Every structure is written in structure tokens, then in C-alpha cells.
């Protein structure tokens, strides 16, 4: 989805999400639950943060994102939703996101990820 909506602004040969990210990329989670990181930096830490999600969550679909290009051509705002379910208990996961993405040199340099962290509580129960 990101390759499609960001088009020529990112490497279209990227194999996966982390391949779209700069080596020193940062993901920020302003609404992270207590005890969860509000910021994750660099490929190694991003991998360690994101890989366990595949063991917890099955993503079934993404909505078509609403894309807001800003006056700064390096910054884009995306609005989209994900549907899926918990691997452990089958609970549904229906989450809406707003992401502010900063691009640099054909890679994603920063993502500020706004979502409802309370919806993740039912995934591991």
C-alpha cells in the first residue's frame, strides 16, 4: 500500500515495509500504552518492535488510504483502516490510523503513527 500511494517518492523495488525505511528511520507512537515505546529508531530496533506483531495479529485488509500531500513535498499524511484478528483468541481488530510520513532520498525517514492503543489490549487476551 505504501509503495502504491507514495509512488516515485519511495524505492519501488523495496521488498517489504522495512526496506522502505531509511537505516536511521524513526517511528513515533504518541498514543502508545504505558510501558510501550513512544519512539523506535533504526532498522534493528524497528525489526525487534515490529516482528512480534506477526505472531499476535492477522491483518486481513487495508482500506484505500486518503492521501494528503502537504506544502512540503517530503511530508505526506495518510488516513486508512486495517481489519484483522488476534491469532490467540480470534478477537477482531478494526483500527483506524493517521500517519504523518517524512520522506528523504527515496526512503521513509520518519512516521508518526496515530491510532487507538486500547484496541490492541484484546489481541493477547
Amino acid at each position: 500500500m505504501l509503495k502504491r500511494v507514495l509512488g516515485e517518492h519511495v524505492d519501488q523495488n523495496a521488498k517489504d515495509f522495512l526496506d522502505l525505511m531509511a537505516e536511521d528511520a524513526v517511528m513515533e507512537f504518541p498514543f502508545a500504552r504505558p510501558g510501550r515505546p513512544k519512539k523506535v529508531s533504526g532498522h534493528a530496533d524497528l525489526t525487534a518492535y515490529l516482528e512480534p506483531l506477526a505472531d499476535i495479529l492477522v491483518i486481513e485488509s487495508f482500506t484505500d488510504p486518503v492521501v494528503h500531500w502537504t506544502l512540503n513535498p517530503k511530508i505526506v499524511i495518510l488516513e486508512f483502516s486495517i481489519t484483522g484478528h488476534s491469532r490467540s483468541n480470534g478477537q477482531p481488530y478494526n483500527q483506524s490510523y493517521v500517519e504523518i510520513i517524512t520522506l528523504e532520498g527515496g526512503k521513509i525517514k520518519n512516521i508518526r503513527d496515530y491510532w487507538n492503543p486500547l484496541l490492541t489490549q484484546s489481541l493477547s487476551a
Side-chain angles (χ1 to χ4, degrees):
M1 182 262 295
L2 287 173
K3 285 190 337 186
R4 180 174 49 84
V5 300
L6 298 176
E8 66 188 24
H9 299 279
V10 294
D11 178 7
Q12 290 297 305
N13 294 318
K15 295 175 183 74
D16 56 30
F17 177 74
L18 283 171
D19 206 20
L20 288 170
M21 305 291 283
E23 284 295 322
D24 61 347
V26 175
M27 286 189 76
E28 299 176 65
F29 309 99
F31 298 134
R33 288 184 1 213
R36 298 290 295 158
K38 289 194 173 281
K39 184 186 279 190
V40 180
S41 303
H43 263 222
D45 288 345
L46 285 168
T47 299
Y49 179 84
L50 295 170
E51 277 186 346
L53 294 177
D55 294 334
I56 297 169
L57 176 65
V58 175
I59 295 174
E60 296 160 354
S61 65
F62 288 83
T63 60
D64 283 333
V66 176
V67 182
H68 306 276
W69 286 100
T70 67
L71 294 176
N72 180 337
K74 293 182 177 183
I75 298 176
V76 62
I77 300 167
L78 301 181
E79 298 178 65
F80 62 94
S81 296
I82 291 176
T83 59
H85 65 272
S86 167
R87 284 192 189 276
S88 66
N89 62 22
Q91 287 288 333
Y93 181 76
N94 300 307
Q95 180 75 266
S96 294
Y97 294 84
V98 173
E99 292 188 340
I100 301 172
I101 298 174
T102 303
L103 304 164
E104 184 177 289
K107 297 284 185 180
I108 296 171
K109 182 75 172 175
N110 183 278
I111 297 177
R112 263 182 284 145
D113 202 15
Y114 294 91
W115 52 282
N116 181 353
L118 297 177
L119 295 179
T120 63
Q121 290 177 322
S122 66
L123 294 177
S124 58

